């Protein structure tokens, strides 16, 4: 008998492996890099005005690739100003990689790094137990809101920590992406646990509107090459299917009918486009910028 489906998060090693494969097969980081180059300078244009030090909080900073890019833009806008960069990141493995990236980078002289190995919620609980409410000039949450229990409460908590001219930047999948189409249709068939939920920019917009918070939205076109998912037995394809469905060993454990339907869905125009013999999954992202 086939083993039951289980969440990809029950196997942190496989999750990280599939996440790295996703990065290698998608324009996820490239489109973020483009945003950081072209549009971030305007977003951070006034966060450090008149300050001798700028405090940045990265929530779910991962291995730090995008964080370092953000820091280089803050440095360029405020040359010579001290930057205190705190990172909330529950994965020891990701923090280890982040430190390696910092060690390999140059021009970080005026930046102090502090890592907090904990979840966003653990950080909030620790701060309230210690009676602390440190304020920040820039807070970002990039591709991590899927992993918090209460998205609305998390946004509201971190928003409450903003200084007067600060910004809160969120990046997550767009409501127009293939993720939205796949998950709205099949999300309830995937073995989600309380470690991961599906949320898109459409949900964030609703949450912000109901909390009376104003935001600016930017759409970032992005795709993931999922051609290998259609080759039976292909190891990379199986790993990407795990990432798409957040299911450990989806190919081996999903009921055959669900597997057939998901494979069929992934080819549909709501999810993907075919170009030059490749199947490109719509991985469009949204950047949401919120003011105090
Ligand atoms: C998809 S990765 C994104 C990493 C990075 N921001 C990027 O865009 O490359 C999500 C990150 O959020 C972290 N994470 C998971 N649950 C979290 C939580 N409850 N609070 C904070 N971070 C969390 C994971 O360990 C992982 O490093």
């Amino acid at each position: 008998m086939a083993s039951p489906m289980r969440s990809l998060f029950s196997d942190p090693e496989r999750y990280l492996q599939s996440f790295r494969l996703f990065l290698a097969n998608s324009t996820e980081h490239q489109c973020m890099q483009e945003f950081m180059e072209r549009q971030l300078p305007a977003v951070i244009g006034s966060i450090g005005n008149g300050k001798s030090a700028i405090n940045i909080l990265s929530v779910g900073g991962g291995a730090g690739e995008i964080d370092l890019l953000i820091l280089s833009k803050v440095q360029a806008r405020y040359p010579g100003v001290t930057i205190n960069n705190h990172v909330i990141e529950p994965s020891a493995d990701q923090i280890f990689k982040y430190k390696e990236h910092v060690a390999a980078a140059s021009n970080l002289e005026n930046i102090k790094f502090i890592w907090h190995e904990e979840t966003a919620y653990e950080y909030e609980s620790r701060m309230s137990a210690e009676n602390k409410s440190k304020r920040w000039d820039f807070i970002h949450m990039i591709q991590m809101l899927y992993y918090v229990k209460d998205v609305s409460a998390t946004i509201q908590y971190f928003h409450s920590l903003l200084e007067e001219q600060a910004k809160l930047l969120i990046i997550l999948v767009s409501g127009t992406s293939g993720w939205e189409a796949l998950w709205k249709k099949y999300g309830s068939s995937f073995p989600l646990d309380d470690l991961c939920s599906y949320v898109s920019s459409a949900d964030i917009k609703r949450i912000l509107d109901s909390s009376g918070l104003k935001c600016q939205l930017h759409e970032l076109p992005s795709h993931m090459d999922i051609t290998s998912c259609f080759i039976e037995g292909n190891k990379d394809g199986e790993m990407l299917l795990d990432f798409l469905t957040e299911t450990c060993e989806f190919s081996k454990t999903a009921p055959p009918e669900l597997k057939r339907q998901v494979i069929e869905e992934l080819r549909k125009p709501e999810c993907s486009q075919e170009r030059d013999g490749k199947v490109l999954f719509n991985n469009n992202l949204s950047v949401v910028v919120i003011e105090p």
Side-chain angles (χ1 to χ4, degrees):
M1 208 179 85
S3 27
M5 287 201 289
R6 57 189 177 99
S7 161
L8 186 53
F9 292 92
S10 59
D11 184 343
E13 206 174 305
R14 190 164 170 96
Y15 166 74
L16 266 184
Q17 250 179 310
S18 69
F19 176 59
R20 293 204 184 109
L21 191 66
F22 156 71
L23 287 182
N25 279 277
S26 71
T27 57
E28 167 100 355
H29 274 178
Q30 285 90 321
C31 77
M32 286 185 198
Q33 277 160 6
E34 211 168 294
F35 175 84
M36 301 308 169
E37 295 293 343
R38 295 196 185 157
Q39 320 218 37
L40 189 71
V43 172
I44 57 166
S46 56
I47 60 167
N49 285 354
K51 305 221 164 194
S52 56
I54 296 174
N55 296 313
I56 300 182
L57 182 60
S58 161
V59 187
E65 297 100 327
I66 300 296
D67 288 23
L68 291 180
L69 194 57
I70 291 175
L71 288 167
S72 71
K73 297 298 160 203
V74 177
Q75 275 181 319
R77 170 66 186 87
Y78 299 100
V81 174
T82 299
I83 300 172
N84 298 309
N85 186 65
H86 287 234
V87 183
I88 299 172
E89 172 52 62
S91 158
D93 186 75
Q94 290 286 64
I95 291 182
F96 183 79
K97 293 221 157 45
Y98 198 133
K99 290 181 178 172
E100 280 184 337
H101 283 135
V102 168
S106 50
N107 298 327
L108 299 178
E109 294 81 22
N110 59 335
I111 307 179
K112 289 184 195 137
F113 288 89
I114 296 188
W115 288 272
H116 305 280
E117 192 183 318
E118 58 194 350
T119 64
Y121 184 69
E122 284 163 356
Y123 174 85
E124 178 180 349
S125 308
R126 186 168 58 81
M127 285 297 129
S128 94
E130 291 171 9
N131 225 344
K132 286 187 186 150
S133 63
K134 185 171 168 52
R135 295 196 169 257
W136 304 91
D137 301 304
F138 190 53
I139 301 178
H140 54 86
M141 308 168 115
I142 301 181
Q143 291 288 52
M144 62 71 60
L145 277 174
Y146 321 106
Y147 313 116
V148 303
K149 281 208 179 84
D150 185 336
V151 175
S152 174
T154 304
I155 294 177
Q156 288 186 33
Y157 170 69
F158 286 101
H159 178 263
S160 77
L161 305 183
L162 291 179
E163 284 279 13
E164 246 170 55
Q165 295 166 323
K167 297 276 168 65
L168 168 61
L169 179 144
I170 294 171
I171 300 184
L172 78 178
V173 295
S174 162
T176 65
S177 66
W179 293 99
E180 181 83 358
L182 180 69
W183 278 77
K184 283 275 139 49
K185 202 154 171 188
Y186 291 104
S188 60
S189 308
F190 301 148
L192 275 188
D193 51 24
D194 63 354
L195 290 176
C196 175
S197 66
Y198 176 73
V199 52
S200 78
S201 60
D203 303 299
I204 301 299
K205 188 76 180 66
R206 268 193 295 279
I207 289 172
L208 296 178
D209 286 347
S210 70
S211 326
L213 295 178
K214 289 209 176 63
C215 70
Q216 289 166 5
L217 267 176
H218 306 260
E219 287 290 299
L220 312 183
S222 171
H223 62 256
M224 158 171 39
D225 183 347
I226 57 166
T227 316
S228 58
C229 293
F230 303 95
I231 306 169
E232 190 64 43
N234 182 290
K235 288 284 162 243
D236 281 2
E238 287 181 356
M239 193 72 103
L240 288 177
L241 264 180
D242 281 15
F243 192 75
L244 283 159
T245 60
E246 301 289 5
T247 304
C248 198
E249 307 266 20
F250 179 79
S251 285
K252 296 197 175 74
T253 61
E257 182 53 18
L258 176 64
K259 186 178 162 189
R260 191 192 63 72
Q261 288 175 359
V262 166
I263 295 280
E264 195 177 292
E265 185 71 20
L266 285 172
R267 271 198 193 273
K268 290 190 180 163
E270 294 85 336
C271 285
S272 303
Q273 272 190 348
E274 297 214 12
R275 212 187 302 155
D276 303 329
K278 290 182 178 160
V279 184
L280 303 178
F281 183 77
N282 179 331
N283 184 54
N284 287 0
L285 303 177
S286 296
V287 181
V288 186
V289 180
I290 311 166
E291 304 203 348

